[in-house]
């Protein structure tokens, strides 16, 4: 199972919202997937990491079922 809790925490630390990434690097469909903790393309995760200048651990967490 995937959790984007680290991303939400990172955005909070940076005083940003997920919607701030819309139109810059994410589209509405991807934002909806993230909000539902659904998997997104690794290239998308990389873009988020690069844009926020953070390692992958600050964006996604893989949970065991």
């Amino acid at each position: 199972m995937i959790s984007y809790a680290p991303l939400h925490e990172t955005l909070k630390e940076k005083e940003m919202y997920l919607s701030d990434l819309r139109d810059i690097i994410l589209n509405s469909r991807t934002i909806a997937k993230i909000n539902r903790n659904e998997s997104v393309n690794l290239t998308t995760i990389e873009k988020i990491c690069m844009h926020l200048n953070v390692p992958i651990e600050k964006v996604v967490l893989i949970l065991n079922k």
Side-chain angles (χ1 to χ4, degrees):
M1 182 173 185
I2 296 171
S3 171
Y4 295 100
L7 173 58
H8 296 293
E9 187 61 34
T10 298
L11 290 170
K12 184 177 177 182
E13 290 170 7
K14 293 181 176 278
E15 298 181 354
M16 295 176 69
Y17 297 97
L18 191 56
S19 60
D20 292 333
L21 302 178
R22 187 179 24 229
D23 299 329
I24 299 170
I25 58 171
L26 302 179
N27 60 39
S28 297
R29 184 175 180 191
T30 302
I31 289 174
K33 284 183 168 187
I34 290 171
N35 283 329
R36 293 189 304 259
N37 285 322
E38 295 178 359
S39 50
V40 297
N41 189 301
L42 190 54
T43 303
T44 301
I45 300 296
E46 180 184 28
K47 287 179 184 178
I48 294 169
C49 291
M50 292 178 69
H51 182 76
L52 296 175
N53 195 29
V54 296
I56 194 168
E57 303 86 39
K58 298 284 258 170
V59 174
V60 66
L61 176 66
I62 306 299
L63 304 171
N64 293 328
K65 287 187 176 182

